[in-house]
């Protein structure tokens, strides 16, 4: 018999008992569906974490001034200025693993347009900030080096601020008043959404640090009245960049060996990696649970095939009597098991994709399905068919035709 | 011409736990091409075992069996399957048709295993066999839509579809009433007249009378081997059936 006749024979046999075939398939449908859905959910969650961290900045490290020690009467990070403009210049030029760095000074301000007033956070920084945060203008432009040099009263607005001050109108070219000082709006930042902690990235104003120091908060001379954002060369370099930063700053601050740092470095890439690992473990766990249900589906196939072989003993006897060889019988029953598991797999894939898409929509996850997951599921369901079909099929092919024909 | 079937000192032993039970004892037999032979005997006399051996479903424990000049007593399982597929046709007491499968597909079954890959050829040969048993018009009927006699005729068509050398029938009328039994026997006589060799196992005397040669078995041995003028199978009139 050729493959086509085996396939025909097997499907015929399955169609003769539609309800049973369907119920048997159901186990594999649920198994494969669960695997597909679980992996898709896991991938989606992982992607979502990645996106969140990407929106914070590219390979970002944040250097905060202040002591890492919580002992004594010393305040927490940021409570005292310890980072100097000299430190910033050294970080920019001396460290191999660092691409660039920017000062970040923050103040709460009231900002006014012609009609509206809004309270938000103002950031004073350099042009590198936009590169580090991976942030582009959605209209207008960022402020330039010249404007930093000349302490120009220019400002770039976050999307939330624009909505609250100007509604739908384009604010570029308009003037806003920050602490009653007029600033020219040169650009609007593209929307970034929420931070991992739930605050709104877009509720912000950005102005040159020189302007900030002269107009908003009086400068501290050689100290930066805020923190430093540092971007590593690549994601892999974040660890090295952190080590270099720590050693450079300790050196520059002349800290004796054994004494506490008077700054702290937060490596966001590391936090992101930990989060990703967490979701990866979750994905693996979900897939493992789903695989168990696939296994149960396979056992269901074996169970029904065994019942079927017993029930169809006479049929098998007739087939052998009219000339079926052992191989023909084996192939038929294996074919039936394979057809059940593959059909179940196909329905399961659709079912799983549907479930994953619905969940993704519900939780605003990206809907991610890799082709290899589908290929793997098809392979897995075929394997389930062969593995769990083999025993019943062998049993059928070894029946004694005389006994089989006599079977009641 | 060599006889179609030649059995020489065939023994068959069955193992029942520790005991060996003889089912055939020293059976020697020749059947010529075209003969219509009935094997009779009480249950347990060994007639089914003889039929299984001749039908290549079972192998003799000792002795030789030549089918059409070829020694088949030592062939393996799959070689025997090939012999059955090419040279033998089986008719069973309980028809053994596949349920929920049309008459035509049932008849096509042996062709599938004989390696006839062309669907058109299978269908054509199956229809020819069905026409031969008078059921050409019911090819698409399923077994549960056919009467017992019709089902048995489908089974006979299935046995004929490979143009076998030998037709083996194990109690073919055992599940039929006397009227349809005679219909089936008339069909066998017709096939015999057309030159097909038939070996039929029965325990009913009036079925045996339809054959040209009757073997009687007891305790695994052939005790009589008689040729006779077959009684023409005919459908009894209602009056006769009452009597």
């Amino acid at each position: 018999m050729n493959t086509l006749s085996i396939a025909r024979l097997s499907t015929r046999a399955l169609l003769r008992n539609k309800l049973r075939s369907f119920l048997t398939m159901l186990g594999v449908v649920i198994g494969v569906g669960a695997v597909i859905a679980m992996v898709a959910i896991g991938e989606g969650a992982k992607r979502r974490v990645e996106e969140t961290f990407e929106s914070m900045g590219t390979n970002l490290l944040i250097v905060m001034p202040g002591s890492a020690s919580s002992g004594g009467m010393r305040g927490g990070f940021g409570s005292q200025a310890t980072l100097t403009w000299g430190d910033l210049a050294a970080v920019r030029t001396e460290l191999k693993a660092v691409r660039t760095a920017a000062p970040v000074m923050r103040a709460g301000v009231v900002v006014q347009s012609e009609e509206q007033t809004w309270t938000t956070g103002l950031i004073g920084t350099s042009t590198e900030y936009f590169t580090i945060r991976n942030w582009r203008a959605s209209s207008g432009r960022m402020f330039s080096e010249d404007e930093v040099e000349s302490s120009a009263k220019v400002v770039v607005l976050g999307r939330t601020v624009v909505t609250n001050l100007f509604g739908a109108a384009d604010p570029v070219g308009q003037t806003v008043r920050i602490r009653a000082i007029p600033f020219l709006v040169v650009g609007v930042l593209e929307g970034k959404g929420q931070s991992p902690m739930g605050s709104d990235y877009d509720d912000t104003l950005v102005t040159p640090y020189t302007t900030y120091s002269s107009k908003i908060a009086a400068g501290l001379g050689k100290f930066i009245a805020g923190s430093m954002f540092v971007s590593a060369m690549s994601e892999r370099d974040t660890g090295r960049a952190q080590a270099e930063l720590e050693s450079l700053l300790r050196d520059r601050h002349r800290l004796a060996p054994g004494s506490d740092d008077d700054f702290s470095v937060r490596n966001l890439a590391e936090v992101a990696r930990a989060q990703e690992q967490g979701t990866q473990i979750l994905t693996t766990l979900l897939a493992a649970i789903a695989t168990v249900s696939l296994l149960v589906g396979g056992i269901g196939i074996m169970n029904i095939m065994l019942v079927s072989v017993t029930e169809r003993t006479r049929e098998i006897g007739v087939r052998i009597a009219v000339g079926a060889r052992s191989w023909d019988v084996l192939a038929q029953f294996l074919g039936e098991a394979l057809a059940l598991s593959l059909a179940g797999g196909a329905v399961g894939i659709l079912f799983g994709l549907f479930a994953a898409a619905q969940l993704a929509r519900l939780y605003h996850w990206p809907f991610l399905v890799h082709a290899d997951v589908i290929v793997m599921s098809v392979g897995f369901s075929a394997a389930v068919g062969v593995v769990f079909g083999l025993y019943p099929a062998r049993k059928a092919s070894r029946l004694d035709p005389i006994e089989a024909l006599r079977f009641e | 011409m060599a006889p179609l079937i030649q059995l020489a000192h065939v023994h068959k032993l069955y193992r029942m736990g520790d005991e060996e039970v003889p089912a055939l004892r020293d059976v020697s037999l020749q059947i010529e091409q075209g003969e219509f032979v009935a094997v009779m005997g009480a249950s347990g006399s060994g007639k089914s075992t003889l039929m299984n051996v001749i039908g290549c479903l079972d192998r003799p424990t000792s002795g030789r069996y030549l089918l059409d000049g070829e020694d088949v007593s030592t062939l393996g399982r799959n070689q025997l399957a090939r012999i059955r597929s090419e040279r033998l046709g089986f008719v069973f007491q309980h028809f053994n048709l596949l349920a929920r499968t049309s008459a035509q597909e049932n008849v096509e079954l042996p062709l599938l295993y004989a390696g006839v890959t062309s669907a058109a050829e299978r269908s054509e040969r199956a229809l020819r066999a069905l026409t031969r048993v008078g059921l050409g018009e019911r090819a698409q009927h399923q077994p549960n839509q056919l009467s017992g006699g019709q089902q048995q005729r489908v089974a006979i068509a299935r046995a004929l579809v490979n143009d076998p050398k030998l037709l083996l029938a194990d109690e073919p009328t055992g599940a039929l009433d006397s009227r349809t039994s005679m219909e089936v026997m008339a069909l066998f006589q017709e096939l015999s007249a057309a030159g097909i060799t038939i070996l039929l196992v029965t325990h009913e005397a009036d079925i045996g009378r339809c054959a040209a040669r009757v073997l009687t078995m007891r305790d695994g041995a052939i005790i009589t081997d008689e040729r006779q003028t077959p009684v023409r199978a005919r459908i009894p009139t209602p009056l006769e059936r009452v009597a």
Side-chain angles (χ1 to χ4, degrees):
Chain A
M1 274 202 309
N2 55 21
T3 322
L4 191 70
S5 6
I6 293 168
R8 252 174 59 104
L9 209 63
S10 302
T11 30
R12 287 279 162 114
L14 293 178
L15 290 178
R16 245 176 255 143
N17 212 329
K18 292 194 190 65
L19 180 65
R20 176 189 287 184
S21 301
F22 169 73
L23 289 175
T24 312
M25 248 171 59
L26 207 56
V28 179
V29 170
I30 292 171
V32 170
V35 170
I36 296 263
M38 291 304 145
V39 172
I41 288 166
E43 289 290 328
K46 196 173 136 198
R47 182 78 203 116
R48 164 108 167 161
V49 171
E50 280 169 11
E51 273 174 5
T52 317
F53 281 93
E54 265 166 31
S55 72
M56 290 199 318
T58 314
N59 315 320
L60 183 64
L61 297 117
I62 300 175
V63 186
M64 305 278 274
S67 173
S69 163
S70 58
M73 287 300 286
R74 278 180 286 189
F77 303 133
S79 61
Q80 67 198 100
T82 57
L83 301 171
T84 67
W85 295 101
D87 290 342
L88 178 66
V91 166
R92 277 179 181 161
T93 52
E94 287 173 31
L95 300 184
K96 284 202 195 70
V98 168
R99 187 189 303 280
T100 187
V104 175
M105 297 177 283
R106 296 171 193 271
V109 295
V110 171
V111 55
Q112 294 162 292
S113 66
E114 298 284 313
E115 282 100 24
Q116 300 291 333
T117 301
W118 184 245
T119 306
T120 184
L122 173 68
I123 292 173
T125 186
S126 64
T127 53
E128 287 87 352
Y129 178 75
F130 302 108
T131 320
I132 294 169
R133 296 287 321 262
N134 199 12
W135 219 346
R136 280 172 288 274
S138 65
S139 77
R141 59 175 178 82
M142 304 305 190
F143 53 78
S144 65
E145 287 293 347
D146 287 345
E147 285 163 335
V148 175
E149 288 284 313
S150 60
S151 312
K153 289 185 278 179
V154 290
V155 67
V156 180
L157 307 187
R159 201 158 271 292
T160 306
V161 177
V162 173
T163 313
N164 285 292
L165 291 184
F166 296 95
D170 184 3
V172 176
Q174 308 260 16
T175 304
V176 293
R177 287 171 175 278
I178 300 170
R179 294 198 180 161
I181 304 161
F183 277 73
L184 176 68
V185 177
V186 295
V188 175
L189 293 164
E190 64 182 8
K192 261 190 186 295
Q194 282 192 347
S195 78
M197 289 74 194
S199 64
D200 183 1
Y201 279 134
D202 299 325
D203 190 5
T204 192
L205 304 168
V206 188
T207 190
Y209 68 93
T210 46
T211 320
Y212 180 95
S213 299
S214 57
K215 306 290 182 204
I216 306 299
L220 295 169
K222 67 170 191 160
F223 290 103
I224 300 173
S227 56
M228 212 193 282
F229 277 31
V230 179
S231 168
M233 281 296 182
S234 72
E235 204 198 314
R236 273 185 312 138
D237 287 327
T238 51
R240 207 151 63 87
Q242 180 170 9
E244 285 179 359
L245 273 170
E246 281 165 359
S247 121
L248 176 88
L249 293 175
R250 281 188 73 85
D251 217 33
R252 288 185 57 89
H253 297 180
R254 301 183 204 289
L255 298 175
S259 64
D260 292 336
D261 289 343
D262 60 356
F263 59 91
S264 78
V265 180
R266 283 201 298 182
N267 182 345
L268 286 175
E270 216 156 69
V271 178
R273 255 199 301 278
Q275 283 248 18
E276 261 170 52
Q277 254 164 29
T279 51
Q280 186 64 54
I281 289 166
L282 188 73
T283 306
T284 313
L285 192 71
L286 288 174
I289 292 168
T291 307
V292 170
S293 69
L294 191 54
L295 198 70
V296 173
I299 293 169
I301 288 189
M302 175 145 84
N303 190 7
I304 292 298
M305 291 305 294
L306 279 174
V307 171
S308 175
V309 166
T310 307
E311 211 183 57
R312 287 154 70 191
T313 299
R314 283 237 264 172
E315 176 196 325
I316 296 162
V318 172
R319 288 178 186 277
I320 296 173
V322 303
R325 290 161 300 161
S326 304
W327 160 250
D328 296 325
V329 177
L330 184 83
Q332 180 188 342
F333 280 88
L334 212 51
E336 284 182 26
L338 203 59
L340 279 175
S341 62
L342 281 180
V347 177
I349 288 169
L350 294 179
F351 170 75
L353 289 180
F354 178 76
Q358 292 306 308
L359 282 168
R361 220 168 48 108
L362 197 63
Y363 292 106
H364 306 288
W365 266 322
F367 174 51
L368 274 183
V369 180
H370 293 302
D372 53 357
V373 174
I374 292 181
V375 171
M376 216 182 64
S377 305
V378 172
F380 210 94
S381 40
V384 162
V386 171
V387 168
F388 290 101
L390 196 60
Y391 175 64
R394 258 169 63 102
K395 210 177 145 184
S397 73
R398 292 184 170 189
L399 282 178
D400 174 12
I402 300 166
E403 296 280 325
L405 284 167
R406 218 181 278 152
F407 185 83
E408 293 296 329
Chain B
M1 204 165 69
L4 179 64
I5 292 167
Q6 249 182 310
L7 297 180
H9 308 292
V10 165
H11 288 260
K12 180 71 195 177
L13 294 172
Y14 281 118
R15 247 186 197 290
M16 294 282 221
D18 287 341
E19 255 179 294
E20 289 204 320
V21 183
L24 290 180
R25 298 176 213 243
D26 196 28
V27 172
S28 293
L29 171 69
Q30 289 199 354
I31 296 174
E32 304 293 329
Q33 201 95 220
E35 279 197 89
F36 187 172
V37 182
V39 182
M40 303 206 44
S43 61
S45 61
K47 57 187 196 302
S48 286
T49 308
L50 180 65
M51 161 109 169
N52 289 338
V53 168
I54 291 176
C56 291
L57 288 167
D58 210 346
R59 275 174 301 197
T61 312
S62 68
R64 252 156 66 91
Y65 170 24
L66 302 184
L67 174 66
D68 206 13
E70 187 184 349
D71 188 352
V72 295
S73 37
T74 55
L75 294 182
R77 190 181 165 110
N78 286 335
Q79 289 164 307
L80 288 176
R82 185 177 50 82
I83 300 268
R84 289 197 297 272
S85 162
E86 288 170 2
R87 303 190 204 167
L88 306 177
F90 286 91
V91 178
F92 308 99
Q93 179 177 358
H94 297 289
F95 327 136
N96 284 340
L97 299 176
L98 301 190
R100 276 166 276 178
T101 306
S102 73
Q104 185 188 328
E105 272 186 80
N106 265 293
V107 176
E108 280 183 25
L109 199 63
L111 297 176
L112 210 60
Y113 296 116
V116 180
T117 43
S118 149
E121 187 190 339
R122 281 202 301 265
S123 146
E124 192 232 299
R125 282 172 69 173
L127 280 175
R128 210 187 316 143
L130 279 169
T131 310
R132 195 165 178 186
V133 299
L135 286 174
E137 255 125 65
R138 292 178 193 252
Q140 297 315 317
H141 284 54
Q142 294 188 352
N144 58 359
Q145 297 166 315
L146 297 169
S147 72
Q150 286 171 331
Q151 287 187 52
Q152 193 58 300
R153 282 194 280 162
V154 172
I156 293 169
R158 181 176 65 191
L160 289 175
V161 75
N162 266 344
D163 299 319
K165 295 260 182 187
L166 173 65
L167 195 63
L168 294 145
D170 190 0
E171 303 271 9
T173 59
L176 301 174
D177 62 34
S178 60
R179 184 192 161 87
T180 38
S181 289
M182 280 306 137
E183 273 176 21
V184 166
M185 288 316 293
L187 178 58
F188 276 120
Q189 286 184 335
E190 206 183 302
L191 296 170
S192 174
I196 294 172
T197 313
I198 299 170
L199 183 72
L200 181 148
V201 168
T202 184
H203 63 269
E204 291 171 72
D206 51 339
I207 298 297
R209 275 196 282 276
C210 296
R213 183 179 171 190
V214 177
L215 305 174
T216 313
M217 296 192 69
R218 185 186 294 161
D219 298 332
I222 298 175
I223 51 167
T224 65
D225 181 354
E226 292 165 342
R227 277 160 214 282
Q228 61 183 19
T229 312
V231 174
R232 233 187 116 64
R234 61 184 185 89
I235 295 144
T237 63
L239 210 69
E240 279 174 313
R241 268 187 282 159
V242 170

